Amino acid sequence: MTWTRSALLLTAGVLLGTTAACGGGTRTAGGAFDPNTCQGGTLRILNQKDAGSHLDPARLYTSGGGNIPSLLFRTLTTRNRAGGAEGAKVVPDLATDTGQANADATVWTYHLRDGLKFEDGTPITSQDVKYGIERSFAAELPGGAPYLHDWLVEAEDYQGPYKQPAGIPAIETPDARTIVFHLNSPHGDFPYLATATQFAPVPKAKDTGADYEKHPISSGPYKIDSYQKGKSLTLVRNENWSRQVDGNRLACPDRIEGSYGLDAAVINQRISTGSGEDANAVTTDTDLGPSELAQLDSNPELAKRVAKGGFPYTYYLAFDTTKAPFDNQKVREAFTYAVDRQSVVNAAGGSSLAYPATTFLPNNKSMGYQAFDYFPAGQNGDPAKAKQLLAEAGFPNGITVTLAHRSDNSNGDGPAIATAVQDAYKKAGITVNLQSVDAESYPQTVGNPATQPQVSIQGWGADWPSGGPFLVPIFDGRQYIASGGNFNTAHLNDPAVNAEIDQINKITDPAQAAQRWGALDAELGKKAVDVPLYHSTSLRLFGKNVRNAFVSDWTGVYDLSAVSVK
Amino acid sequence: MLGYVVRRLLGAIAVMLAMSAVVYVLFYLMPANPAQLVCGPKTCTADRLAMVEHSLGLDEPLYVQYWHFLSGLVVGRDFSSGPSVLHCPAPCLGYSFQYTEPVLDKILEALPVSLSIVIGAALLWLTFGIGAGVLSALRRGRWLDHAVNVVVLGGFAVPAFITSLLLLMVFCVYLQWLPFPSYVPFDEDPLGWAQNLVLPWIVLALVQLPPYVRLSRSGVLETLTEDHIRTARAYGLTERRVIGRHALRGALSPLITVAAADIAAVLTASMLTETAFGLPGLGRLMVQSVNQIDLPMVVGMTLLIGFVIVLCNAIADVLYAVVDRRVRVA
């Protein structure tokens, strides 16, 4: 896709016209936004933390770093920069298209577009992309998503280019502009994966390993002027980038200055006050605090400067469906009927920050969301029905279980939610003993089958907006990992589910795949293999001068490559 | 005097080594695995985890890890960055998991920030604390004494993060007299340095103030009843001279011990203030390192905190002798 005037106008129209729906939407401040005259000014980023713990394309996780990595790293494909559901689509970035697959989606071929250059003016080649992927396998550069290890043919034992310079044979670069991936099984979602920063080109000559994050070589609209990890980041324009070679990023501000290590309350206070340079401020890691939330109804000016969305996320109760009592469908149904989702949503911060979940997939079209509620418990639960099911299952006098939760509330799976569940379950004759697990070790405790608690509060978000990464790690029997790092906490291994996953993985049309993922979610829902609790949303402020702060269904936040401060 | 210094120094080294050993053992016993955190948020398989543990040296037995740490202090250490080997020269406190930089560099980077905070704050709390204490001692039982009490206890009762936010709201948001604090090095812009730090100084001083007011008040009252004061008055010295030269000297010496401990604590552990104002000092670095299970950083910081506390106590001992002639350093 090349950037034409009409495309620009169309995008602007979409940005201005899209109405808020399903947690996504569009908001702009001030008057009409014109991408052709938006250039200039300095955008300020006020953050609590650095952009990802490492500003190295090999080490960033798919959802890490807010939008900042996308200002520096272009990838084979990228997310569409538009509001709402449009923004959940994959579009080409370095490549000329989103990828050409063979018949069973096991071989994917990409061609790089013309005129691509690094910040130092050297042309970007397919070997640079290959090298960027290979270095993400090195033990010195951990942190990235694991998909390539599992998907590429015979790559699981590859140790990275420093130990094995020969590289990964499953990635071919027949010429400087072509790159071919050989996968060990069909993956129709490959174009989504190619949006990850591991697909950003890295010039081998400039690779300094663990030190690369101090000045990663830019392929995007900005380059690093100065960077003090954990403190500040200043980006200036990359003269070797232009809109002619990038159809996605508007790159309006001339300069971007980030301050890290700020207090969340101070960030919100500064952006809402907007005095001086703070009028040009945004944040990529801080959601609205309680004091701003309380002001929204009475302060329309502030309310206009709130981007509503949220990274699609589901919180649920997880249990081992192969062990008593949860091997009994009636018990699982009773636990679903007994839950009071109204009080859970309140515990999660109220209806502006959460909405009740009866499906595992969040309410996003791109993921294949289909509405269902097979065990309708209303807003406040149905304890009578739960009691009846428990009696039928052989527990006429109720049942006692242990519910594990994280020791703090900051991740949405803490004591607030656990006590809300405990209170509701008491009415249904379910006695819940709470088990608080240290926040840092919680994922390890739950992810190791040897230490997995009887019931635990879990949260899950997908690495790209498709049903695949949302459902497969949780419900595919072959994804169960006995040694730890397991997400299939239901210990589900249903041949029919596994077979359907294999079938959908072969589909390369996102709309068709989404429909099937949604149907699979419904099938899983009927089995009550978990108890969906709530989906989280987020509200994020932007400065008085900031325009074009639309929210996509992919990231759930506004996009730095699109905003303007002019 | 030299013997005294050498003894203090050796004692300090022993204390610090013991502390580092304790921190290592505590981390070893902890349920969370730093390699897991470095490895990534999702699906870090056992194989991959083993690779990361190996590259961080976490697969070695505890005593070997600790030995590497000790020998690094003396001869330095080498770390693999992938394509090249990074050398961390002696005294090497290790290489941070999260920052991929030598621990000592990170500490030295944060030290000026914390020093800047402590210097101004200590100046404020010592001046106003002792001043208010002496004043309320001289006006004992009158309205000024009570007023000082109320103000000081009020300031102390409000947590630092609330005071911080209140001051930010008033001075940076409504009055806009001051910028939102960010650290400006003293040698770059002395005025900007002070402007950015004045609010943190006030917050810390408010928290630290009360013991000084109370101690100097009771110290002055106690000394005023002593014989040498009566003698001084009998000699016909002015009241100003009696208080300033004779009463204060005796009253202040216990404050030195308190001040040394407080300065050490503020220098290394003003976490709330540094976090509230977004200042990249040692306290904030410690909080971040603990949150990220960054073992080398935490061990290095612990050693530094131990060193600062031992150092401040030694300085206090010497000062004590200077102020109170009855004490001799031997």
Side-chain angles (χ1 to χ4, degrees), chain A residues 54 137 210 229 231 461 463, chain B residues 42-43 48 81 98 109 169:
Chain A
H54 301 278
F137 282 67
K229 194 167 174 178
K231 288 181 202 162
D463 292 336
Chain B
K42 287 184 189 171
T43 336
R48 181 88 178 143
S81 78
Q98 291 294 330
E109 217 178 275
M169 290 282 281

Side-chain angles (χ1 to χ4, degrees), chain A residues 274-306:
Chain A
S275 56
E277 290 173 325
D278 288 343
N280 290 352
V282 293
T283 176
T284 71
D285 69 358
T286 304
D287 290 326
L288 225 59
S291 70
E292 290 79 20
L293 216 53
Q295 283 180 47
L296 288 186
D297 285 335
S298 59
N299 186 346
E301 192 279 328
L302 191 68
K304 264 188 219 162
R305 293 196 280 121
V306 172

Side-chain angles (χ1 to χ4, degrees), chain B residues 18-254:
Chain B
M19 273 182 0
S20 68
V22 169
V23 174
Y24 258 86
V25 172
L26 280 179
F27 263 79
Y28 203 72
L29 294 175
M30 212 172 53
N33 181 355
Q36 184 88 44
L37 208 69
V38 172
C39 194
K42 287 184 189 171
T43 336
C44 183
T45 59
D47 292 352
R48 181 88 178 143
L49 189 65
M51 270 168 69
V52 174
E53 281 178 350
H54 178 69
S55 75
L56 296 178
L58 289 169
D59 55 341
E60 290 171 326
L62 178 65
Y63 66 91
V64 178
Q65 288 183 43
Y66 189 58
W67 171 247
H68 284 319
F69 168 73
L70 286 184
S71 59
L73 285 174
V74 184
V75 293
R77 290 171 81 175
D78 287 331
F79 296 89
S80 166
S81 78
S84 60
V85 171
L86 303 170
H87 182 66
C88 169
C92 179
L93 288 174
Y95 224 75
S96 160
F97 294 160
Q98 291 294 330
Y99 293 102
T100 54
E101 265 178 67
V103 169
L104 194 60
D105 291 6
K106 290 304 293 180
I107 291 179
L108 292 180
E109 217 178 275
L111 191 63
V113 181
S114 290
L115 270 178
S116 303
I117 296 173
V118 84
I119 288 170
L123 213 66
L124 280 182
W125 90 59
L126 287 174
T127 317
F128 285 95
I130 295 170
V134 173
L135 217 61
S136 52
L138 298 179
R139 300 271 186 283
R140 181 163 57 134
R142 299 208 213 140
W143 69 268
L144 187 72
D145 186 20
H146 297 306
V148 166
N149 239 332
V150 169
V151 170
V152 164
L153 287 180
F156 182 65
V158 183
F161 59 91
I162 304 240
T163 327
S164 311
L165 278 178
L166 277 175
L167 289 179
L168 283 173
M169 290 282 281
V170 172
F171 290 102
C172 307
V173 176
Y174 293 117
L175 300 176
Q176 304 199 0
W177 289 353
L178 292 166
F180 275 95
S182 64
Y183 180 68
V184 178
F186 181 76
D187 52 353
E188 269 178 30
D189 175 9
L191 188 68
W193 173 81
Q195 260 184 350
N196 278 290
L197 287 171
V198 64
L199 292 183
W201 288 342
I202 293 174
V203 169
L204 271 172
L206 277 179
V207 175
Q208 301 290 344
L209 209 61
Y212 294 87
V213 178
R214 304 307 299 168
L215 280 175
S216 52
R217 180 179 181 273
S218 58
V220 169
L221 284 178
E222 202 187 309
T223 330
L224 282 178
T225 62
E226 283 182 18
D227 292 344
H228 72 278
I229 299 293
R230 200 186 46 203
T231 314
R233 285 198 175 129
Y235 272 114
L237 296 183
T238 59
E239 190 64 12
R240 191 193 187 96
R241 204 167 159 80
V242 171
I243 308 271
R245 242 189 115 78
H246 298 278
L248 269 186
R249 195 149 194 167
L252 292 193
S253 42

Side-chain angles (χ1 to χ4, degrees), chain A residues 49 405-408 410-411 413 436-447, chain B residues 27 30-38 40-41 98 286-294:
Chain A
K49 292 182 179 158
H405 60 86
R406 208 186 284 257
S407 56
D408 66 58
S410 56
N411 290 288
D413 49 9
S436 177
V437 181
D438 161 59
E440 294 300 332
S441 53
Y442 188 63
Q444 285 158 260
T445 307
V446 177
Chain B
F27 263 79
M30 212 172 53
N33 181 355
Q36 184 88 44
L37 208 69
V38 172
Q98 291 294 330
M286 185 68 162
V287 172
Q288 282 174 350
S289 305
V290 169
N291 281 341
Q292 293 165 333
I293 329 180
D294 196 341

